[in-house]
Amino acid sequence: MSELTRDTPGAEAPDMLAWTCPAPLRDRPRVVMGHGGGGTLSAELVEQIFAPAFGSTALSVTTDSATVELGGARLAFSTDSFVVRPLFFPGGSIGDLAVNGTVNDLAMSGARAAYLSCGFILEEGVETDVVTRVANALGAAARAAGVRVVTGDTKVVEAGHGDGVYINTSGIGLIPPGVDLRPQRVVPGDVVIVSGPVGVHGVAIMSVREGLEFGVEIESDCAPLGGLVEAMLAVTPDLHALRDPTRGGLAASLNEIAAASGTGIVVQERAVPVPAPVANACAVLGLDPMYVANEGKLVAFVPRAQADGVLAAMRAHPLGAEAAVIGEVVGEHPGMVVARTGLGGTRVVDMPLGEQLPRIC
């Protein structure tokens, strides 16, 4: 098969301006979906726009919630917005996510969530029965998590300017004395533990959104992690860092920790627990389970001397029964995450640019 080149008689030079790239470019004049995916684009949005505008160094700290002092007490404070589609999915709903997402962000600072605020943004025309179902689910999730919804707000936008129901929740919780969970405490030698199988939530959302069938119904892992974290801290308050791998999945969380701590992370790929239905779905969809979102899992960075005790405590808790050691922190290749494959090779697990599965929370 012959090729036309610029030197071929009668051939026209390619129009370079007409070429397109399927991936979002880093220098974008407009917001793209990838800016909300929890990856590199999200980080750039915060670093280049929000942090300079707010003049706050807190936004530069890559933690799931802020730690503040008030009246001599250390509090964790977090906020999150939920725009998932569909509103109801196997294993949960936007109401469950709105509670558990914020409760879990607080738990990653070691705090037990105490109070939540709740803001509903409703689209004109949404059925009141749908709003009732979402509100009931949110209330039930709050009671299950042991947290009280104490204030809120409601707004209505014109039809076509929303997606039925959006929710924002903010939460506060008290951090116990002696607990100091942050990426900067991670050091070479730390053991990396994940609390259970990864990729479940993202695949559950995709299956119902796109009407895909994978032989078995995959349910979201949406759950409050406060009790699991308390069980871990009971073994030792000297955990170094916790992260719930939501948007961007396990890969994004590991990369954020590596970058913030200036260390390298080595993951044993076969040690990462991936349920067979999730692995099969990802193979069909061309996804990497390490980049798929979770809503009821955490990844812990634990001093090696305490790792066995923490792992045993996790496995004794219902939400950590399948916890597994997946890797370690090293001094080599700082800021980089690599995976040792089953064939003995090594691959770089890079920070995702955007999100493989948009609108998962």
Side-chain angles (χ1 to χ4, degrees), residues 323-337:
V325 173
I326 63 170
E328 64 178 339
V329 179
V330 298
E332 296 78 26
H333 50 78
M336 181 181 295
V337 180

Side-chain angles (χ1 to χ4, degrees), residues 30 92 114 186 215 314 337:
R30 299 180 185 274
V186 171
M314 295 174 72
V337 180

Side-chain angles (χ1 to χ4, degrees), residues 244-302:
D244 60 332
T246 52
R247 296 177 303 167
L250 181 61
S253 292
L254 294 176
N255 273 279
E256 288 170 355
I257 297 292
S261 62
T263 63
I265 298 175
V266 177
V267 174
Q268 301 298 327
E269 196 169 55
R270 285 187 171 178
V272 178
V274 180
V278 171
N280 294 336
C282 287
V284 170
L285 298 170
L287 303 176
D288 184 337
M290 289 184 67
Y291 290 87
V292 179
N294 313 271
E295 286 292 345
K297 300 296 186 299
L298 64 80
V299 57
F301 293 78
V302 183

Side-chain angles (χ1 to χ4, degrees), residues 11 15 24 80 90 100 111 120 173 175 189 217 222 245 247 251 265 297 346:
D15 182 3
D80 208 343
N100 294 335
F120 273 76
I175 301 175
E217 183 178 70
C222 182
R247 296 177 303 167
I265 298 175
K297 300 296 186 299
T346 301

Side-chain angles (χ1 to χ4, degrees), residues 110 112 225-237 239 242 298 309-320:
R112 182 75 174 192
L225 296 172
L228 176 60
V229 172
E230 286 186 351
M232 296 166 66
L233 291 173
V235 175
T236 174
L239 302 179
L242 299 177
L298 64 80
V310 171
L311 181 62
M314 295 174 72
R315 288 177 173 172
H317 191 280
L319 295 179

